[in-house]
Amino acid sequence: MPDTDRLYALSSTHNHPWLSDTPGPALLIHDAIVAMRWYLTHEREETLAVAAHVSDDDGATWRDLPPGELLPDAERALVEQAQKPRPDDRHAAPVLRDALAAEAADWLDHRIRYVQPDDPSHYRPPTPAPSSWRRGGQIWALALGTIPHEQVLDRLKAQYTDPQPEGPQWARTGARDTLEALVVADDPTGAGIGELLGALRHLHPLTFGIELGQLSARAEEAQHRLLDHLVTRHPRTAPVAGAHPDPQHPAQQAARAYLHRLSHITASGEEGLLNDAAEAFTEALAAAEAARPPATEGPATGSPETPAIPGYPKHLAGDLQAAAQWRLISPAARRAADRTMISLAHVATNLTQARADAAPRRFGPRENQTMDLYTDLGQELGQLDARHALLMHAHVLAEAEAAGVVAGHHAIVAAAQEDEKAPRPRTGAELAAGHEKFMAQVNAAQDRIAHTLGAQRQVVRDALHRLFPQIGSSTGLNRLRAQLIDNSGLGFDAYNRAWRAVSDTARTLGRLESGYRSRTAEFGRPPVTAEQVEHARTAAREADAYFTELRSSRLLTLTAIRSLDGVAGLEPSFPDPVAARAARVMAQSRQRTQQAAPARPRSGTGTDQRRQTHSPQDPRRSGVRLQ
């Protein structure tokens, strides 16, 4: 395991909602350097949007991880690697740092020379315009929370036909303006109305356009915070916000639209435009007041229905998170995943070194072999993630089915208790009516339980179809069982070998301990030493621990696989219409990137403090430290 206990989950989706929202490549890794480089090489506006999550407790709980927090983790890991005792690790640190800078420059180049997804030519101009440089700096600041570093911008400058000496300055200016707008959005209390309108105007171009994906949602959240504060501060809109505190009220929506329009005109704009905006706001406010919905008579008093099976149907946060949860309860799965992740991070470092060494020439057989090994390990880790995620989904179904049996017993007991409270029947008709009422109550509860279990089975069926789309028949399901058991090291052969290892190591330990105590030695052999006894004791302890892990993991796996038999014949859920799919993609992106605005103490005025925050002496805003 690495020095950190953090676990990174990076999932990608195709970011054009009119085409598809199918998931793309994903990565579950404990190495921050590999995670950051994976983000930079996969997150592209034209193809994929990457969402990152992090867990500090080995996958038990997760939180959103903005790329601006992932990059410092990678930098700290580089510093730690440069301080390791092994010379190979120390020599690899600068090579990895250069590779990270090159990939960051390539990521920024896709923003500077952006091509619309529906552009048939996909022509990337050899010389970017100043507005493109500024846009690249804005998106860098929006995603990574810093100003692009000189090393990254120098690499960009060298890629273009025109040197463009002013390009990096344009990028830094765009990033600095975006950072100032985000600071105002994080803490708008000390800013003036002019500053708030200016920040709103700056963020507005970053909030529309499908190509921005989750970055657009991040800018939109900042814009919402500005509007929430500005609508209560502006003299024209403050009375409306006081009378209608609900942001969804038509009157407040009209006030927010007026503020949007005013931010583009600016307070010192043309008087005619300001008057037109004020008149439009007055008309919209009058229309909203005239169409005021009738007041409701009061909240509903009905209590929500008790769930048939408490806690179910359960939807896991995601496939990567499900895989991490399975490794928490299955020691064999955790062992296999740790071994593969460590190997992948090690081979990734070797591949980077090989590319740096082979820069003047082509790859040789050794470098090609390293690249093939890196590809194989990546595929192996992806297959492990898919298998472990499916097992966790199936494990949840097995728990739901067990809870359904308990819920069925409780339903019978509840019906019997209610029947006992009823008056004692005197006639055969009353007895039959009481029995019919009892059975109706039990059958209704059983129907609700069956409906809940059906919904949980559909969740697992969708996961099976999503993770293993090739499984479409009983034959395919049998092959999947073999993958989940035998290929995971949980088959009968592995189980028997582990049991024999327990017996063999225990027998060897007993023989060595007996020889050490009696101080006798076999003919032709040296006497037994304390080191040999301790080594045998360690081997016996490890064999026993491994067999215990294998036994618990095998039991969990077999239980989960048995629950898959009930979902293989179900049809997967039908996809939503295009419009609903597009709305869901944007909602998911907004949910992934929504961050709570931290409260920041303000010792001076808003302008002075923001200038101090972005001064070159502040190490937090000095850019990405890739050197």
Side-chain angles (χ1 to χ4, degrees), residues 279-330:
E279 291 178 3
F281 172 53
T282 302
E283 294 176 0
L285 189 60
E289 293 291 349
R292 178 184 302 174
T296 58
E297 296 182 358
T301 58
S303 59
E305 186 179 5
T306 304
I309 307 177
Y312 298 94
K314 182 185 295 184
H315 298 266
L316 300 178
D319 293 331
L320 294 180
Q321 287 79 359
Q325 291 182 18
W326 176 255
R327 293 163 190 172
L328 285 176
I329 63 176
S330 174

Short mmCIF file of all heavy atoms in Angstrom, two decimals, residues 279-330:
data_model
loop_
_atom_site.label_atom_id
_atom_site.label_comp_id
_atom_site.label_asym_id
_atom_site.label_seq_id
_atom_site.Cartn_x
_atom_site.Cartn_y
_atom_site.Cartn_z
N GLU A 279 -37.83 49.14 -17.22
CA GLU A 279 -39.22 49.00 -17.67
C GLU A 279 -39.58 47.53 -17.85
O GLU A 279 -40.69 47.09 -17.49
CB GLU A 279 -39.41 49.76 -18.98
CG GLU A 279 -39.33 51.28 -18.83
CD GLU A 279 -39.48 51.99 -20.16
OE1 GLU A 279 -39.70 51.27 -21.18
OE2 GLU A 279 -39.39 53.23 -20.19
N ALA A 280 -38.66 46.74 -18.42
CA ALA A 280 -38.93 45.31 -18.60
C ALA A 280 -39.10 44.63 -17.24
O ALA A 280 -39.96 43.75 -17.07
CB ALA A 280 -37.80 44.66 -19.39
N PHE A 281 -38.32 45.04 -16.26
CA PHE A 281 -38.45 44.45 -14.94
C PHE A 281 -39.79 44.81 -14.30
O PHE A 281 -40.45 43.97 -13.68
CB PHE A 281 -37.28 44.92 -14.06
CG PHE A 281 -37.40 44.52 -12.62
CD1 PHE A 281 -37.61 43.20 -12.25
CD2 PHE A 281 -37.32 45.47 -11.61
CE1 PHE A 281 -37.71 42.84 -10.93
CE2 PHE A 281 -37.42 45.11 -10.29
CZ PHE A 281 -37.61 43.79 -9.95
N THR A 282 -40.20 46.05 -14.48
CA THR A 282 -41.49 46.47 -13.92
C THR A 282 -42.63 45.69 -14.55
O THR A 282 -43.56 45.24 -13.86
CB THR A 282 -41.68 47.97 -14.14
OG1 THR A 282 -40.59 48.69 -13.53
CG2 THR A 282 -42.98 48.45 -13.53
N GLU A 283 -42.58 45.50 -15.87
CA GLU A 283 -43.64 44.75 -16.55
C GLU A 283 -43.64 43.28 -16.11
O GLU A 283 -44.70 42.69 -15.86
CB GLU A 283 -43.45 44.85 -18.06
CG GLU A 283 -43.65 46.25 -18.61
CD GLU A 283 -43.35 46.32 -20.10
OE1 GLU A 283 -42.99 45.25 -20.67
OE2 GLU A 283 -43.48 47.40 -20.70
N ALA A 284 -42.45 42.68 -16.00
CA ALA A 284 -42.39 41.28 -15.58
C ALA A 284 -42.86 41.12 -14.15
O ALA A 284 -43.53 40.13 -13.81
CB ALA A 284 -40.95 40.76 -15.72
N LEU A 285 -42.56 42.11 -13.30
CA LEU A 285 -42.99 42.03 -11.91
C LEU A 285 -44.50 42.16 -11.82
O LEU A 285 -45.16 41.44 -11.04
CB LEU A 285 -42.30 43.14 -11.10
CG LEU A 285 -42.47 43.08 -9.59
CD1 LEU A 285 -41.91 41.78 -9.04
CD2 LEU A 285 -41.79 44.27 -8.94
N ALA A 286 -45.09 43.05 -12.62
CA ALA A 286 -46.55 43.19 -12.62
C ALA A 286 -47.22 41.93 -13.11
O ALA A 286 -48.24 41.49 -12.56
CB ALA A 286 -46.94 44.39 -13.49
N ALA A 287 -46.66 41.31 -14.16
CA ALA A 287 -47.24 40.06 -14.67
C ALA A 287 -47.14 38.95 -13.64
O ALA A 287 -48.06 38.13 -13.48
CB ALA A 287 -46.54 39.66 -15.96
N ALA A 288 -46.03 38.89 -12.90
CA ALA A 288 -45.86 37.86 -11.89
C ALA A 288 -46.84 38.06 -10.74
O ALA A 288 -47.40 37.09 -10.21
CB ALA A 288 -44.42 37.87 -11.37
N GLU A 289 -47.06 39.30 -10.35
CA GLU A 289 -48.01 39.57 -9.27
C GLU A 289 -49.43 39.24 -9.70
O GLU A 289 -50.24 38.74 -8.92
CB GLU A 289 -47.91 41.02 -8.83
CG GLU A 289 -46.59 41.38 -8.15
CD GLU A 289 -46.44 40.73 -6.79
OE1 GLU A 289 -47.42 40.18 -6.28
OE2 GLU A 289 -45.33 40.77 -6.24
N ALA A 290 -49.75 39.52 -10.97
CA ALA A 290 -51.10 39.24 -11.46
C ALA A 290 -51.37 37.75 -11.55
O ALA A 290 -52.50 37.30 -11.36
CB ALA A 290 -51.31 39.89 -12.83
N ALA A 291 -50.33 36.97 -11.84
CA ALA A 291 -50.49 35.52 -11.97
C ALA A 291 -50.11 34.79 -10.70
O ALA A 291 -49.66 33.66 -10.75
CB ALA A 291 -49.64 35.02 -13.13
N ARG A 292 -50.29 35.44 -9.54
CA ARG A 292 -49.90 34.83 -8.27
C ARG A 292 -50.76 33.59 -8.02
O ARG A 292 -51.98 33.64 -8.11
CB ARG A 292 -50.11 35.82 -7.14
CG ARG A 292 -49.77 35.25 -5.76
CD ARG A 292 -50.08 36.25 -4.68
NE ARG A 292 -49.36 37.49 -4.88
CZ ARG A 292 -49.54 38.58 -4.11
NH1 ARG A 292 -50.43 38.55 -3.14
NH2 ARG A 292 -48.85 39.66 -4.35
N PRO A 293 -50.15 32.45 -7.73
CA PRO A 293 -50.94 31.23 -7.50
C PRO A 293 -51.72 31.34 -6.19
O PRO A 293 -51.30 32.03 -5.26
CB PRO A 293 -49.87 30.13 -7.42
CG PRO A 293 -48.62 30.85 -7.01
CD PRO A 293 -48.72 32.23 -7.64
N PRO A 294 -52.88 30.68 -6.10
CA PRO A 294 -53.67 30.74 -4.86
C PRO A 294 -52.93 30.07 -3.71
O PRO A 294 -52.16 29.12 -3.90
CB PRO A 294 -54.95 29.97 -5.22
CG PRO A 294 -54.56 29.08 -6.35
CD PRO A 294 -53.52 29.83 -7.12
N ALA A 295 -53.16 30.62 -2.52
CA ALA A 295 -52.50 30.07 -1.34
C ALA A 295 -53.05 28.70 -1.01
O ALA A 295 -54.25 28.43 -1.16
CB ALA A 295 -52.71 31.02 -0.14
N THR A 296 -52.18 27.82 -0.59
CA THR A 296 -52.62 26.48 -0.21
C THR A 296 -53.32 26.52 1.13
O THR A 296 -53.05 27.38 1.97
CB THR A 296 -51.40 25.54 -0.14
OG1 THR A 296 -50.47 26.07 0.80
CG2 THR A 296 -50.72 25.43 -1.51
N GLU A 297 -54.21 25.58 1.33
CA GLU A 297 -54.99 25.56 2.56
C GLU A 297 -54.19 25.05 3.74
O GLU A 297 -54.55 25.27 4.88
CB GLU A 297 -56.22 24.67 2.36
CG GLU A 297 -57.16 25.24 1.29
CD GLU A 297 -58.39 24.36 1.14
OE1 GLU A 297 -58.46 23.33 1.85
OE2 GLU A 297 -59.27 24.70 0.35
N GLY A 298 -53.10 24.40 3.52
CA GLY A 298 -52.29 23.89 4.63
C GLY A 298 -51.56 22.64 4.21
O GLY A 298 -51.90 22.00 3.22
N PRO A 299 -50.55 22.28 4.95
CA PRO A 299 -49.79 21.09 4.60
C PRO A 299 -50.60 19.83 4.80
O PRO A 299 -51.52 19.77 5.61
CB PRO A 299 -48.59 21.14 5.56
CG PRO A 299 -49.08 21.93 6.73
CD PRO A 299 -50.05 22.93 6.18
N ALA A 300 -50.28 18.83 4.02
CA ALA A 300 -50.97 17.55 4.14
C ALA A 300 -50.63 16.91 5.48
O ALA A 300 -49.49 16.95 5.95
CB ALA A 300 -50.57 16.62 3.00
N THR A 301 -51.61 16.31 6.09
CA THR A 301 -51.43 15.71 7.41
C THR A 301 -51.19 14.22 7.34
O THR A 301 -50.93 13.58 8.35
CB THR A 301 -52.66 15.99 8.27
OG1 THR A 301 -53.82 15.47 7.61
CG2 THR A 301 -52.83 17.48 8.49
N GLY A 302 -51.32 13.62 6.16
CA GLY A 302 -51.13 12.19 6.05
C GLY A 302 -49.68 11.79 6.30
O GLY A 302 -48.75 12.43 5.84
N SER A 303 -49.48 10.72 7.02
CA SER A 303 -48.13 10.24 7.30
C SER A 303 -47.65 9.37 6.16
O SER A 303 -48.44 8.66 5.54
CB SER A 303 -48.12 9.44 8.61
OG SER A 303 -49.01 8.34 8.51
N PRO A 304 -46.36 9.40 5.83
CA PRO A 304 -45.86 8.57 4.75
C PRO A 304 -46.01 7.10 5.08
O PRO A 304 -45.95 6.67 6.23
CB PRO A 304 -44.39 8.98 4.65
CG PRO A 304 -44.05 9.54 5.99
CD PRO A 304 -45.31 10.19 6.48
N GLU A 305 -46.19 6.31 4.03
CA GLU A 305 -46.38 4.87 4.21
C GLU A 305 -45.08 4.22 4.68
O GLU A 305 -43.99 4.54 4.19
CB GLU A 305 -46.84 4.25 2.89
CG GLU A 305 -47.21 2.80 3.01
CD GLU A 305 -47.68 2.24 1.68
OE1 GLU A 305 -47.62 2.97 0.69
OE2 GLU A 305 -48.12 1.07 1.65
N THR A 306 -45.20 3.31 5.61
CA THR A 306 -44.03 2.60 6.11
C THR A 306 -43.45 1.72 5.00
O THR A 306 -44.19 1.00 4.34
CB THR A 306 -44.41 1.74 7.32
OG1 THR A 306 -45.02 2.56 8.31
CG2 THR A 306 -43.18 1.06 7.89
N PRO A 307 -42.13 1.78 4.77
CA PRO A 307 -41.57 0.96 3.69
C PRO A 307 -41.75 -0.52 3.98
O PRO A 307 -41.71 -0.96 5.13
CB PRO A 307 -40.10 1.37 3.67
CG PRO A 307 -39.83 1.94 5.01
CD PRO A 307 -41.11 2.58 5.45
N ALA A 308 -41.93 -1.29 2.91
CA ALA A 308 -42.13 -2.73 3.08
C ALA A 308 -40.89 -3.38 3.68
O ALA A 308 -40.98 -4.21 4.59
CB ALA A 308 -42.47 -3.37 1.72
N ILE A 309 -39.71 -3.02 3.16
CA ILE A 309 -38.43 -3.49 3.71
C ILE A 309 -37.63 -2.24 4.02
O ILE A 309 -37.19 -1.54 3.10
CB ILE A 309 -37.68 -4.38 2.71
CG1 ILE A 309 -38.58 -5.51 2.21
CG2 ILE A 309 -36.43 -4.96 3.34
CD1 ILE A 309 -37.92 -6.38 1.17
N PRO A 310 -37.43 -1.89 5.28
CA PRO A 310 -36.73 -0.64 5.61
C PRO A 310 -35.35 -0.58 4.96
O PRO A 310 -34.55 -1.51 5.07
CB PRO A 310 -36.62 -0.69 7.14
CG PRO A 310 -37.74 -1.60 7.57
CD PRO A 310 -37.88 -2.62 6.49
N GLY A 311 -35.09 0.54 4.28
CA GLY A 311 -33.80 0.74 3.64
C GLY A 311 -33.68 0.24 2.22
O GLY A 311 -32.63 0.42 1.59
N TYR A 312 -34.72 -0.38 1.70
CA TYR A 312 -34.67 -0.94 0.35
C TYR A 312 -35.88 -0.46 -0.45
O TYR A 312 -36.94 -0.19 0.14
CB TYR A 312 -34.64 -2.47 0.41
CG TYR A 312 -33.42 -3.02 1.11
CD1 TYR A 312 -33.47 -3.32 2.47
CD2 TYR A 312 -32.22 -3.19 0.43
CE1 TYR A 312 -32.35 -3.80 3.13
CE2 TYR A 312 -31.10 -3.68 1.09
CZ TYR A 312 -31.17 -3.99 2.43
OH TYR A 312 -30.06 -4.46 3.08
N PRO A 313 -35.71 -0.36 -1.77
CA PRO A 313 -34.53 -0.68 -2.58
C PRO A 313 -33.40 0.32 -2.35
O PRO A 313 -33.62 1.51 -2.19
CB PRO A 313 -35.04 -0.61 -4.02
CG PRO A 313 -36.19 0.33 -3.96
CD PRO A 313 -36.83 0.12 -2.62
N LYS A 314 -32.18 -0.20 -2.34
CA LYS A 314 -30.98 0.60 -2.07
C LYS A 314 -30.22 0.81 -3.36
O LYS A 314 -29.96 -0.13 -4.11
CB LYS A 314 -30.10 -0.10 -1.04
CG LYS A 314 -28.86 0.67 -0.65
CD LYS A 314 -27.98 -0.14 0.28
CE LYS A 314 -28.67 -0.40 1.60
NZ LYS A 314 -27.77 -1.12 2.55
N HIS A 315 -29.86 2.05 -3.62
CA HIS A 315 -29.08 2.41 -4.80
C HIS A 315 -27.69 2.85 -4.33
O HIS A 315 -27.57 3.82 -3.57
CB HIS A 315 -29.75 3.53 -5.60
CG HIS A 315 -31.10 3.17 -6.13
ND1 HIS A 315 -31.29 2.66 -7.39
CD2 HIS A 315 -32.33 3.23 -5.57
CE1 HIS A 315 -32.58 2.43 -7.60
NE2 HIS A 315 -33.24 2.77 -6.49
N LEU A 316 -26.67 2.14 -4.75
CA LEU A 316 -25.31 2.51 -4.39
C LEU A 316 -24.87 3.75 -5.15
O LEU A 316 -25.42 4.08 -6.21
CB LEU A 316 -24.36 1.35 -4.68
CG LEU A 316 -24.68 0.05 -3.91
CD1 LEU A 316 -23.71 -1.05 -4.30
CD2 LEU A 316 -24.64 0.28 -2.41
N ALA A 317 -23.87 4.43 -4.61
CA ALA A 317 -23.46 5.72 -5.19
C ALA A 317 -22.91 5.56 -6.60
O ALA A 317 -23.08 6.43 -7.44
CB ALA A 317 -22.41 6.37 -4.28
N GLY A 318 -22.25 4.48 -6.90
CA GLY A 318 -21.66 4.27 -8.22
C GLY A 318 -20.95 2.94 -8.25
O GLY A 318 -20.74 2.28 -7.22
N ASP A 319 -20.54 2.51 -9.45
CA ASP A 319 -19.89 1.22 -9.58
C ASP A 319 -18.52 1.19 -8.92
O ASP A 319 -18.14 0.20 -8.30
CB ASP A 319 -19.78 0.85 -11.06
CG ASP A 319 -21.14 0.61 -11.69
OD1 ASP A 319 -22.06 0.19 -10.97
OD2 ASP A 319 -21.30 0.85 -12.90
N LEU A 320 -17.76 2.28 -9.04
CA LEU A 320 -16.45 2.31 -8.39
C LEU A 320 -16.60 2.29 -6.87
O LEU A 320 -15.85 1.60 -6.17
CB LEU A 320 -15.68 3.55 -8.83
CG LEU A 320 -15.27 3.60 -10.31
CD1 LEU A 320 -14.52 4.89 -10.59
CD2 LEU A 320 -14.42 2.41 -10.68
N GLN A 321 -17.57 3.04 -6.37
CA GLN A 321 -17.80 3.05 -4.93
C GLN A 321 -18.29 1.67 -4.46
O GLN A 321 -17.94 1.22 -3.36
CB GLN A 321 -18.81 4.13 -4.57
CG GLN A 321 -18.27 5.54 -4.66
CD GLN A 321 -18.22 6.07 -6.07
OE1 GLN A 321 -18.57 5.39 -7.02
NE2 GLN A 321 -17.78 7.31 -6.23
N ALA A 322 -19.11 1.00 -5.29
CA ALA A 322 -19.56 -0.34 -4.95
C ALA A 322 -18.39 -1.32 -4.89
O ALA A 322 -18.31 -2.17 -4.00
CB ALA A 322 -20.60 -0.82 -5.96
N ALA A 323 -17.46 -1.20 -5.83
CA ALA A 323 -16.28 -2.07 -5.82
C ALA A 323 -15.46 -1.85 -4.56
O ALA A 323 -14.96 -2.81 -3.94
CB ALA A 323 -15.43 -1.81 -7.06
N ALA A 324 -15.30 -0.58 -4.16
CA ALA A 324 -14.54 -0.30 -2.94
C ALA A 324 -15.24 -0.86 -1.71
O ALA A 324 -14.59 -1.37 -0.78
CB ALA A 324 -14.33 1.21 -2.80
N GLN A 325 -16.57 -0.79 -1.67
CA GLN A 325 -17.30 -1.34 -0.52
C GLN A 325 -17.19 -2.85 -0.47
O GLN A 325 -17.12 -3.44 0.62
CB GLN A 325 -18.76 -0.91 -0.61
CG GLN A 325 -18.99 0.57 -0.37
CD GLN A 325 -20.45 0.94 -0.40
OE1 GLN A 325 -21.33 0.10 -0.27
NE2 GLN A 325 -20.73 2.22 -0.59
N TRP A 326 -17.16 -3.50 -1.64
CA TRP A 326 -17.01 -4.96 -1.63
C TRP A 326 -15.64 -5.35 -1.07
O TRP A 326 -15.51 -6.34 -0.34
CB TRP A 326 -17.18 -5.49 -3.04
CG TRP A 326 -16.94 -6.97 -3.16
CD1 TRP A 326 -15.85 -7.60 -3.68
CD2 TRP A 326 -17.82 -8.01 -2.70
NE1 TRP A 326 -16.00 -8.96 -3.59
CE2 TRP A 326 -17.20 -9.25 -2.99
CE3 TRP A 326 -19.06 -8.02 -2.08
CZ2 TRP A 326 -17.79 -10.46 -2.68
CZ3 TRP A 326 -19.65 -9.24 -1.77
CH2 TRP A 326 -19.01 -10.44 -2.07
N ARG A 327 -14.62 -4.57 -1.37
CA ARG A 327 -13.28 -4.88 -0.86
C ARG A 327 -13.17 -4.66 0.64
O ARG A 327 -12.28 -5.20 1.28
CB ARG A 327 -12.24 -4.03 -1.60
CG ARG A 327 -12.13 -4.41 -3.06
CD ARG A 327 -11.43 -3.36 -3.89
NE ARG A 327 -11.56 -3.66 -5.31
CZ ARG A 327 -11.19 -2.86 -6.28
NH1 ARG A 327 -10.66 -1.67 -5.99
NH2 ARG A 327 -11.34 -3.20 -7.54
N LEU A 328 -14.08 -3.86 1.20
CA LEU A 328 -14.08 -3.68 2.65
C LEU A 328 -14.59 -4.92 3.37
O LEU A 328 -14.19 -5.19 4.51
CB LEU A 328 -14.95 -2.47 3.03
CG LEU A 328 -14.35 -1.08 2.76
CD1 LEU A 328 -15.37 0.00 3.11
CD2 LEU A 328 -13.07 -0.87 3.56
N ILE A 329 -15.48 -5.69 2.73
CA ILE A 329 -16.05 -6.86 3.39
C ILE A 329 -15.45 -8.16 2.88
O ILE A 329 -15.64 -9.21 3.50
CB ILE A 329 -17.58 -6.89 3.22
CG1 ILE A 329 -17.96 -7.01 1.74
CG2 ILE A 329 -18.23 -5.66 3.83
CD1 ILE A 329 -19.45 -7.15 1.51
N SER A 330 -14.73 -8.12 1.75
CA SER A 330 -14.11 -9.32 1.19
C SER A 330 -12.59 -9.16 1.23
O SER A 330 -12.03 -8.44 0.39
CB SER A 330 -14.59 -9.56 -0.24
OG SER A 330 -13.90 -10.64 -0.82
#
